[in-house]
Amino acid sequence: MPSILDHDTVALDESAHALVIIDQTLLPGEIKLLHLTKQNEIWEAIKALRVRGAPAIGVAAAIGLYLAAREIEADDRAGFLKKLHGAADYLNSARPTAVNLSWALARMERAAAQSGAETPEKVREALRRECLAIWEEDIDVCRRLGENGLTLVKPGFGLLTHCNAGQLATVRYGTATAPMYLGHARGYGFRVYCDETRPLLQGARLTSFELSSAGIDTTLICDNMAASVMKKGLIDAVFVGCDRVAANGDAANKIGTLGVAILAKHFGIPFYVVAPSSTIDMNTPTGADIVIEERDGGEICEMWYERRMAPEGIKTWNPAFDVTEHDLVSAIVTEYGVARAPYDVSLREIFAKKEAARK
Ligand code: MRU
């Protein structure tokens, strides 16, 4: 039977000139692929979380910008690059917290600017190659995150994760889930506990769906049960993804992650953030400098319920992310190795390795 894992989360359909995504708002009930060609459709898909998760948003935006470039009319290279910048700004405005969005768009713009191509046609070709490179690299990076994350665990471990940092948040394999998939393939026999992740239920709708589809022993819990499973001794390590790591190791991730980290510290459980280098933002000094997206209160009061579950007119506060301070983070797993405190030093070393690998 075809599984959710048979589909890439994000892809470019070159013949239809379309961004292809799985509409994640319909999961797990329906697996529907969307073919998006217009910029406002791509912006809306990112904003409405049809495509979501930091790396997947970056890849989707890169493909989106290539599609925008196909439509740009300009007489010369300078005019073309100016319009390309406008298109990148538009896509970047869809969501503020995940740095992968601006990272991917900036990388695309750099590829266009540095291509040396004389004509808009040739710049477009450079952009096509770059978005495909970003797509391919995402797969390779997630594989390496899996290998590096696996060095931190033992067979039979109970693992807890929050939100969805899985295949559905990347092109394939996921970040926090990459060691789970890899360990599963190698017979590690993990037991994975997924927080449901209020209010948008990424843990319930997405993580528990994709992990159980892969045959991993998966247990879904409500967010407020994390302390109890930890107290019972069922959790040996926590693995979460991340939307932006600041230069000092503070990490913004789905709202509720901070609470899980505080609990993990209380119970003496290692708390690992799995982050591709594209999620590490050395230009953001600390977590206090990270812009936290605030979303509509309807997500708390109405969404996913058959009928409204809060009084009409009630005040709401709905931040989509929180920041876990670096002293609660046992290690940050990257594709270039495992970084530990002091993070201002170890993250710089990770980027030095990345630079060396490029040469
Ligand atoms: O609002 P979302 O669903 O995009 O939030 C996603 C998360 O918080 C993920 O944990 C994060 O992006 C890492 S994905 C590998």
Side-chain angles (χ1 to χ4, degrees):
M1 204 163 81
S3 134
I4 183 68
L5 300 167
D6 296 329
H7 301 280
D8 288 334
T9 304
V10 187
L12 170 65
D13 179 338
E14 296 217 48
S15 53
H17 305 301
L19 166 68
V20 186
I21 59 165
I22 301 166
D23 185 345
Q24 298 193 32
T25 63
L26 303 177
L27 295 175
E30 186 184 348
I31 299 175
K32 182 176 175 190
L33 297 183
L34 299 178
H35 286 66
L36 309 176
T37 53
K38 300 194 177 67
Q39 292 300 294
N40 63 338
E41 291 172 346
I42 295 169
W43 187 94
E44 190 276 341
I46 295 172
K47 177 79 186 168
L49 275 57
R50 298 185 199 287
V51 58
R52 46 143 303 282
I57 294 173
V59 178
I63 295 173
L65 194 61
Y66 161 61
L67 296 175
R70 295 191 73 259
E71 308 288 322
I72 290 175
E73 288 177 18
D75 295 334
D76 56 14
R77 178 188 150 81
F80 182 89
L81 291 180
K82 192 166 173 221
K83 287 188 178 166
L84 187 73
H85 185 63
D89 268 357
Y90 174 63
L91 288 174
N92 196 33
S93 70
R95 296 190 76 188
T97 305
V99 69
N100 301 64
L101 181 57
S102 55
W103 169 86
L105 291 166
R107 186 169 150 176
M108 289 289 285
E109 283 198 79
R110 245 187 344 265
Q114 292 172 358
S115 68
E118 294 292 314
T119 61
E121 203 41 60
K122 286 191 176 148
V123 183
R124 267 182 216 115
E125 178 49 26
L127 286 167
R128 189 187 71 85
R129 281 199 306 268
E130 193 69 6
C131 78
L132 291 176
I134 290 174
W135 181 89
E136 252 177 58
E137 276 172 33
D138 187 73
I139 298 172
D140 175 56
V141 162
C142 288
R143 268 201 206 103
R144 289 156 60 196
L145 291 173
E147 290 288 356
N148 292 340
L150 207 59
T151 63
L152 300 170
V153 295
K154 295 201 181 90
F157 261 24
L159 305 174
L160 183 127
T161 190
H162 189 75
C163 192
N164 175 268
Q167 162 132 343
L168 288 164
T170 62
V171 178
R172 285 182 216 158
Y173 312 120
T175 61
T177 59
M180 299 172 190
Y181 284 121
L182 196 62
H184 179 64
R186 294 181 186 170
Y188 273 50
F190 294 135
R191 294 166 288 106
V192 181
Y193 290 80
C194 303
D195 283 350
E196 68 171 347
T197 315
R198 287 279 297 147
L200 293 185
L201 309 181
Q202 288 93 333
R205 295 186 303 106
L206 309 176
T207 312
S208 75
F209 178 47
E210 59 162 271
L211 292 181
S212 59
S213 302
I216 294 174
D217 179 341
T218 308
T219 305
L220 175 64
I221 59 170
C222 298
D223 297 341
N224 53 8
M225 296 166 191
S228 293
V229 289
M230 288 183 181
K231 192 171 177 180
K232 272 176 154 311
L234 295 170
I235 307 300
D236 299 292
V238 175
F239 281 83
V240 295
C242 183
D243 283 78
R244 190 183 298 241
V245 181
N248 70 344
D250 291 351
N253 191 47
K254 180 52 56 191
I255 191 74
T257 304
L258 171 60
V260 177
I262 292 169
L263 288 174
K265 184 167 188 178
H266 176 80
F267 289 106
I269 297 167
F271 179 90
Y272 300 121
V273 171
V274 186
S277 56
S278 55
T279 301
I280 303 170
D281 181 3
M282 299 303 275
N283 295 320
T284 294
T286 74
D289 304 299
I290 299 174
V291 176
I292 300 294
E293 176 182 17
E294 291 194 17
R295 296 183 63 91
D296 193 273
E299 291 179 348
I300 303 178
C301 305
E302 294 166 9
M303 211 166 170
W304 315 120
Y305 294 125
E306 273 187 22
R307 60 193 162 81
R308 190 180 166 88
M309 282 291 153
E312 288 293 345
I314 192 75
K315 263 199 291 182
T316 56
W317 180 52
N318 185 19
F321 302 96
D322 57 26
V323 173
T324 299
E325 287 82 19
H326 58 272
D327 57 346
L328 295 170
V329 177
S330 311
I332 299 174
V333 180
T334 80
E335 74 272 33
Y336 291 98
V338 176
R340 292 194 186 260
Y343 293 108
D344 48 352
V345 176
S346 60
L347 292 180
R348 272 205 301 274
E349 285 167 2
I350 292 292
F351 279 97
K353 281 191 197 167
K354 183 173 182 173
E355 200 46 46
R358 217 180 261 148
K359 287 179 183 152

